[in-house]
């Protein structure tokens, strides 16, 4: 048995038990080195389809494929041993029928070894959520701003500005919880609405741009590390990765041009036998 088999990983029931208790800490990860650094500090690591935008340079998550999610899920699972790892189901992989969703979600579970999947949950989702859950696939839902619907919504603006949309968001969260989701991401809503959703469901809510009135928080890691100049209003930058990378690249370029790198310290020297 390898050492990593001894590490006790966070489980779905443990996450569910945090409803109304200690806030759930969640960040996204897409690669092995980042997951290794985050693992100690997170209850839950999300391999989000935001990978399309923050790693692959796409303008939305719509172009992300199942194969991309599996590849990034595998990388994260190699080094995340403590946090519960959830992999996003990409656009087009789960919406048309519970059977398609099961076929694709079971592939994600089997090929990555992750513990759960996430789906963006409109009114169509309840049947799929119970179909997956009953067959052994824990589901985290995602309501409010659903980025995979960007082409219907016309952008990534916060949601719930009218009573009708706010009511729909609460109804989607309730339906997702009743269908068996173990947690629900609530994205881009006001504090009032986040509070309503959190009170309306018995499962933990995990907010992103959804105020403190949630049972946990998630941020897109490259955003919170400060890799990008522009980020949405709700992102607090906990680091300055952009500045660090730019400064390091500039110094490296200067030293290469000046032939001061590599100096003797970074050069192999073999004594002849
Ligand atoms: O893809 C992602 O990173 C997400 C978060 C925004 C919750 O779904």
């Amino acid at each position: 048995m390898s050492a990593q088999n001894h590490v006790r990983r966070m489980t779905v029931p443990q996450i569910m038990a945090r409803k109304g208790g200690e806030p759930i800490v969640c960040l996204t990860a897409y690669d092995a080195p980042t997951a290794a650094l985050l693992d100690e500090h997170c209850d839950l690591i999300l391999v989000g389809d935001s990978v399309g935008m923050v790693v692959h340079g796409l303008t939305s998550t719509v172009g992300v494929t199942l194969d991309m999610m599996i590849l990034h899920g595998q990388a994260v699972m190699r080094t995340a041993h403590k946090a519960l790892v959830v992999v996003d189901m990409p656009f087009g992989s789960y919406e048309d029928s519970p059977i398609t969703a099961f076929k694709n979600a079971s592939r994600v579970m089997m090929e990555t070894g992750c513990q759960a999947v996430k789906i963006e949950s409109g009114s169509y989702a309840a049947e799929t959520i119970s179909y997956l859950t009953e067959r052994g696939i824990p589901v985290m839902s995602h309501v409010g701003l659903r980025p995979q619907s960007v082409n219907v919504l016309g952008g990534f603006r916060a949601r719930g500005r009218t009573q009708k949309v706010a009511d729909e968001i609460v109804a989607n969260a309730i339906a997702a919880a009743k269908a068996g989701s173990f947690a629900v991401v609530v994205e881009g809503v006001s504090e009032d609405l986040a509070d309503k959703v959190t009170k309306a469901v018995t499962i933990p809510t995990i907010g992103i741009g959804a105020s403190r009135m949630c049972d946990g928080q998630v941020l897109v890691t490259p955003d919170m590390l400060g890799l990008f100049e522009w980020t949405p209003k709700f992102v607090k930058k906990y680091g300055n990765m952009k500045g660090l990378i730019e400064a390091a690249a500039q110094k490296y370029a200067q030293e290469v041009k000046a032939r001061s790198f590599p100096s003797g310290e970074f050069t192999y020297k073999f004594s002849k036998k």
Side-chain angles (χ1 to χ4, degrees), residues 89-155:
M89 295 299 292
F91 178 68
S93 69
Y94 62 90
E95 300 90 333
D96 72 344
S97 75
I99 293 172
T100 304
F102 183 77
K103 193 169 115 287
N104 290 326
S106 57
R107 226 192 112 195
V108 169
M109 301 283 290
M110 290 167 72
E111 293 182 30
T112 69
C114 72
Q115 285 74 50
V117 298
K118 174 164 82 59
I119 69 171
E120 296 191 5
S121 311
S123 53
Y124 56 84
E127 202 189 335
T128 294
I129 293 165
S130 55
Y131 193 90
L132 296 185
T133 308
E134 281 164 13
R135 286 161 181 77
I137 301 181
V139 177
M140 182 154 91
S141 291
H142 185 151
V143 302
L145 172 58
R146 290 185 274 129
Q148 291 173 9
S149 295
V150 63
N151 291 307
V152 172
L153 303 174

Side-chain angles (χ1 to χ4, degrees), residues 28 30 46 48-51 88 118 142 185 187 208 218 220:
T28 65
Y30 320 102
L46 172 65
D49 62 353
S50 51
V51 69
D88 245 339
K118 174 164 82 59
H142 185 151
V185 168
E187 178 165 358
I208 174 159
V218 57
V220 170

Side-chain angles (χ1 to χ4, degrees), residues 3 19 31 69 107 137 150 152 186 198 210 237-238 247 263:
K19 175 76 185 173
D31 60 71
M69 293 313 303
R107 226 192 112 195
I137 301 181
V150 63
V152 172
V186 184
T198 299
K237 290 182 185 167
Y238 286 85
S263 57

Side-chain angles (χ1 to χ4, degrees), residues 67-267:
D67 286 342
M68 284 163 78
M69 293 313 303
I70 289 172
L71 197 67
H72 289 286
Q74 287 169 336
V76 167
M77 280 303 296
R78 284 186 196 113
T79 57
H81 305 305
K82 174 191 151 277
L84 184 92
V85 177
V86 180
V87 176
D88 245 339
M89 295 299 292
F91 178 68
S93 69
Y94 62 90
E95 300 90 333
D96 72 344
S97 75
I99 293 172
T100 304
F102 183 77
K103 193 169 115 287
N104 290 326
S106 57
R107 226 192 112 195
V108 169
M109 301 283 290
M110 290 167 72
E111 293 182 30
T112 69
C114 72
Q115 285 74 50
V117 298
K118 174 164 82 59
I119 69 171
E120 296 191 5
S121 311
S123 53
Y124 56 84
E127 202 189 335
T128 294
I129 293 165
S130 55
Y131 193 90
L132 296 185
T133 308
E134 281 164 13
R135 286 161 181 77
I137 301 181
V139 177
M140 182 154 91
S141 291
H142 185 151
V143 302
L145 172 58
R146 290 185 274 129
Q148 291 173 9
S149 295
V150 63
N151 291 307
V152 172
L153 303 174
F156 295 105
R157 288 183 77 213
R159 303 279 292 151
R161 292 163 200 268
T162 64
Q163 194 56 48
K164 182 172 173 285
V165 174
D167 290 347
E168 268 168 27
I169 290 168
V170 177
N172 286 343
I174 293 173
K178 281 194 178 147
S181 302
F182 72 91
V184 56
V185 168
V186 184
E187 178 165 358
V189 302
S190 66
E191 185 163 350
D192 265 12
L193 184 50
D195 190 34
K196 264 198 195 118
V197 173
T198 299
K199 287 182 174 142
V201 296
T202 52
I203 56 173
T205 53
I206 300 180
I208 174 159
S211 82
R212 287 171 300 168
M213 306 311 288
C214 292
D215 300 300
Q217 297 292 329
V218 57
L219 282 176
V220 170
T221 298
D223 281 349
M224 70 81 107
L225 290 179
L227 183 61
F228 304 111
E229 190 85 52
W230 184 90
T231 50
K233 170 189 167 66
F234 59 78
V235 173
K236 177 171 177 184
K237 290 182 185 167
Y238 286 85
N240 178 19
M241 210 163 125
K242 178 176 181 289
L244 283 174
I245 292 175
E246 283 171 343
Q250 187 186 26
K251 185 132 204 292
Y252 170 73
Q254 280 166 356
E255 292 190 4
V256 168
K257 285 175 187 162
R259 296 189 186 279
S260 60
F261 176 83
S263 57
E265 188 192 346
F266 302 102
T267 304

